[in-house]
Amino acid sequence: MRHRYGDHFHQFADLLLPRDADGPLPVAVLLHPGFWREQYSLDIADALARDLAARGWAAWNVEYRRVGEASGGGYPATLEDVAAAIDFLQTLDAPLDLARVVTVGQSAGGHLALWAATREAPAVPLAGAVSQAGTTDLRAADRDGLGDGATSDFMGGHADERPDAYADASPIERLPLGVPQLLVHGEADDVVPPSQSSAYAEAARAAGDDVELVLRPDDDHFVHTDPSNAAWADVVGWLGRFT
């Protein structure tokens, strides 16, 4: 079922429940990839949402304002949308366990999934976060020109031009997150380099976080949206701690 968490036409999310939804159910907040750009939508995460619902999860597949929209997607609007969408869970008439809310995101969605754990005084705090080939270090992403300049487009400038904004938005600069985290990344990924996950995991552990890193030797960037792939099995296995 589709719900609106704000007035903008892209402020909505789809809630998928198990067929026999007695509850209270753990909640997976799905944050789709696409380098924060308007042409990519939550449809990319539909298959993962259906798979999680079949496994007994409530799947909250979130759309958000993105770069390229006249109404102001990008920093900080996209982050504000993610925060609002997660907190909106407390208003839903559904058998949800709000003590077991976990974010799951790929690529730019991985960035959002980790960042969401750092929200100040959230109405719905996270119990964990999953990053699939995530953009965890925005300064490095900007330096490396990932996605043909997607990071500077999202942030409204380069890191040396907006240092405070990058510090606010980049997960690696907001450590420790204080929740368990899983990072899954393919070593054959030529879109977001696996160093984004490995360097982040090292920094997060040094900061005291509980972080599991899975580097998959033959996987590219695009395997993570396919629930039949072994990379998704890694995610499902880790999520088992919340069921």
Side-chain angles (χ1 to χ4, degrees), residues 1 10 30 49-50 52 56 58-59 66 75 86 97 101 103 110 120 130 159 220 229 240:
M1 180 178 294
H10 278 154
L30 293 166
R50 290 192 297 269
L52 285 167
R66 303 176 301 286
Y75 176 86
I86 296 171
D97 185 349
V101 177
T103 50
E120 295 183 10
V130 176
D220 64 14
N229 194 285

Side-chain angles (χ1 to χ4, degrees), residues 2 12-16 28-34 39-54 57-64 66 102-110 112-113 130 132 222-228 232 235 239:
R2 182 156 291 182
F12 65 86
D14 292 338
L15 180 66
L16 283 75
V29 178
L30 293 166
L31 298 161
H32 69 80
Q39 62 263 43
Y40 303 101
S41 73
L42 85 173
D43 295 350
I44 300 173
D46 280 351
L48 302 185
R50 290 192 297 269
D51 184 78
L52 285 167
W57 283 75
W60 183 234
N61 191 11
V62 174
E63 191 56 277
Y64 48 84
R66 303 176 301 286
V102 181
T103 50
V104 180
Q106 182 207 351
S107 193
L112 299 173
V130 176
Q132 306 164 280
F222 300 101
V223 301
H224 301 282
T225 57
D226 180 1
S228 69
W232 182 242
V235 175
L239 289 174

Side-chain angles (χ1 to χ4, degrees), residues 125-225:
L126 297 185
V130 176
S131 169
Q132 306 164 280
T135 310
T136 63
D137 184 340
L138 296 188
R139 291 184 197 273
D142 178 50
R143 179 198 66 216
D144 296 339
L146 301 187
D148 295 325
T151 306
S152 59
D153 290 344
F154 172 68
M155 292 300 299
H158 293 291
D160 59 350
E161 299 167 330
R162 307 202 67 194
D164 292 343
Y166 274 73
D168 182 53
S170 186
I172 200 169
E173 297 186 50
R174 295 176 67 86
L175 293 169
L177 302 195
V179 299
Q181 300 149 59
L182 170 68
L183 294 90
V184 182
H185 214 126
E187 292 183 320
D189 192 329
D190 60 0
V191 177
V192 176
S195 59
Q196 279 273 334
S197 288
S198 57
Y200 174 90
E202 182 178 357
R205 289 168 182 155
D209 275 347
D210 173 5
V211 180
E212 182 176 340
L213 172 66
V214 178
L215 295 175
R216 299 187 54 81
D218 301 318
D219 284 357
D220 64 14
H221 189 67
F222 300 101
V223 301
H224 301 282
T225 57

